[in-house]
Amino acid sequence: MYDESFLNKISSFGVLGYSVEKIIFLVEPENPEALRQDIETPGTDVYKAYWKGKTTGEYTMDKVLFDKGTKDRDTDANERMRNRMQLDKINDKINESFGL
């Protein structure tokens, strides 16, 4: 249903952490509700593309902060990394409990 170019766009939006609403606004699909459902339904190609991008973006940010904190001994980077890790734990629990 979705071509490779479209899935790459969705992945790129995921890297940037864009919400479903922003993605719908940017790609202007014929059926916005169908795209919303596909992004939110585990196992669909669009869901996989979005989450691949989202986790890639998060990993990239974490890696940069980790490297700055360990190699450069940047205390700000260490604090930001610690905050991101705490937020990730909270978000994981929310997702586990409520599917959000």
Side-chain angles (χ1 to χ4, degrees):
M1 181 169 165
Y2 301 106
D3 66 21
E4 195 67 29
S5 173
F6 185 82
L7 294 175
N8 286 336
K9 272 188 195 176
I10 297 297
S11 183
S12 294
F13 295 142
V15 166
L16 298 172
Y18 284 9
S19 68
V20 174
E21 289 76 25
K22 280 185 181 180
I23 294 169
I24 288 171
F25 181 78
L26 289 168
V27 299
E28 299 177 328
E30 279 186 37
N31 188 340
E33 198 50 45
L35 178 57
R36 177 186 314 282
Q37 185 173 355
D38 287 343
I39 289 175
E40 294 174 351
T41 302
T44 66
D45 289 341
V46 177
Y47 177 93
K48 291 175 189 174
Y50 176 76
W51 281 97
K52 173 101 175 164
K54 188 166 177 65
T55 55
T56 299
E58 290 171 357
Y59 167 77
T60 302
M61 176 61 75
D62 291 344
K63 179 84 169 91
V64 166
L65 290 173
F66 178 80
D67 288 347
K68 287 180 75 76
T70 56
K71 293 177 186 168
D72 300 341
R73 300 186 191 271
D74 184 326
T75 55
D76 182 52
N78 277 327
E79 184 63 28
R80 289 175 59 200
M81 182 68 186
R82 196 172 7 266
N83 290 340
R84 284 181 58 81
M85 289 172 67
Q86 289 174 339
L87 184 59
D88 283 346
K89 286 179 185 178
I90 292 168
N91 287 335
D92 287 347
K93 282 293 184 190
I94 290 171
N95 188 30
E96 234 176 69
S97 299
F98 304 106
L100 299 174

